Structures are given as C-alpha cells and as structure tokens.
Amino acid sequence: DNDWFLSTAGVLGGDFHPRFGFSPAVGPFSDRLVSRVVDAQGASFVTVSFNTLFLPAVASLDLKAELLVSTNGGLTWVPVWTHLGAEGALDDSRLHVDVSAEVAGQPIARFAFQISGPDSLELAYWDVDDFQVRVGAPPTLGALPAIQVYAGKILEVPLVVGDADTSFGQLTIS
C-alpha cells in the first residue's frame, strides 16, 4: 500500500497528461517509475530524452529528482541526471542525457525516474513526458567557419551536422 494517486486533473484544471501525486503527505519518501528493458548491444552511443517540469514547494537540498540506470536487472542503480529542490524550478524543458558510458553495449538496461526527500510536502509537482531512448551512433558537428563578432546581432551561423542513424532529409536542429 502506498500514497500515490494517478490523475489527469492539474492545478489549472483537467488535461490529457496523467500525473502521479502523493495524498496524504508522506515522509521520508523515495519512489521510482521504472522503464521496460532496453537492448543496447552493438551501440556505441545511447541518449535518453524526456520533457520535464519540476517545481519544489521549498528550496531543499534533500529533495531530489533523478534519472537512474541499471544494467544488472535492478540490483544497483546509478544516477545519470539529478535536479535538487534547492536548484529551484525546472521550467518545461526537453532534456537530453548521454548515457553511453553506462549503457552502450549492454544487453539489458533499465531506466528509472526517482523522486526522494524528507517529506512529500517539499514537492509541488514533477511532470515527466515523452521519454525516449535512442540507440546508435552520435551526431557529429562539422567545423565551424570563422565568425567575426561585432557589437550588435549575428543573424545566422552556418552549421554542418551529420548523424549516421538519420538520413539528411530527416535531420532537424532546434
């Protein structure tokens, strides 16, 4: 038995993004949402991407939002990304985490989002959405041309990007 609930109602009303929350408050707490198994055999580069929105209720060094990885069936977990409550809010962001050192070449990898702290009242909310694991070769950035910087604006900078896993017409840069 735990104090988690799943809801599509947010502070601004209902929406189509389900979210987990605590009710009533608990402390101390540490909970994980674990992915299915990912096979990264033969890969030299692995990236995890996700959208996140994090709002602590108080600025606490003990409140932690983390992305963890395990390559031994969940016996041990290694943090690959951490955001502390003391760092403040994390506005709606798309994050990309290079997990190649931990996951590349592994036949079994699992990821977990973990939230922990001394009291769940320290957390206002943490949204995680659109979680993706990309297995393959790293994108490469070509040489940058010589650029002269003047007081004012630079309107454009030419970049050449290549990705061994994506055809040229499908590449997008944002």
Side-chain angles (χ1 to χ4, degrees):
D1 188 34
N2 62 42
D3 297 307
W4 283 100
F5 68 91
L6 177 63
S7 174
T8 56
V11 294
L12 300 177
D15 63 29
F16 296 107
H17 299 280
R19 57 186 51 88
F20 290 93
F22 281 115
S23 182
V26 294
F29 70 103
S30 180
D31 286 286
R32 290 184 186 146
L33 179 62
V34 180
S35 76
R36 64 182 186 214
V37 171
V38 174
D39 182 355
Q41 291 182 90
S44 59
F45 189 79
V46 182
T47 302
V48 172
S49 301
F50 58 97
N51 294 335
T52 188
L53 181 66
F54 177 81
L55 181 64
V58 296
S60 169
L61 285 172
D62 297 319
L63 177 64
K64 287 196 297 190
E66 296 179 289
L67 174 63
L68 310 173
V69 66
S70 175
T71 56
N72 60 11
L75 296 175
T76 58
W77 293 89
V78 175
V80 291
W81 173 84
T82 301
H83 188 80
L84 301 175
E87 295 172 311
L90 186 60
D91 292 332
D92 194 12
S93 304
R94 180 82 179 153
L95 300 180
H96 307 279
V97 181
D98 179 0
V99 294
S100 303
E102 296 82 9
V103 177
Q106 297 294 322
I108 297 173
R110 295 189 95 157
F111 297 92
F113 288 99
Q114 178 173 278
I115 187 75
S116 61
D119 189 319
S120 64
L121 292 175
E122 292 189 357
L123 174 67
Y125 58 84
W126 183 26
D127 287 350
V128 176
D129 197 6
D130 196 20
F131 176 75
Q132 295 176 330
V133 179
R134 292 195 173 97
V135 177
T140 58
L141 183 62
L144 293 176
I147 299 172
Q148 294 181 341
V149 178
Y150 302 96
K153 293 183 182 179
I154 293 180
L155 300 178
E156 62 182 61
V157 176
L159 295 176
V160 177
V161 178
D163 184 17
D165 301 324
T166 309
S167 66
F168 182 75
Q170 294 177 322
L171 283 176
T172 60
I173 299 173
S174 57

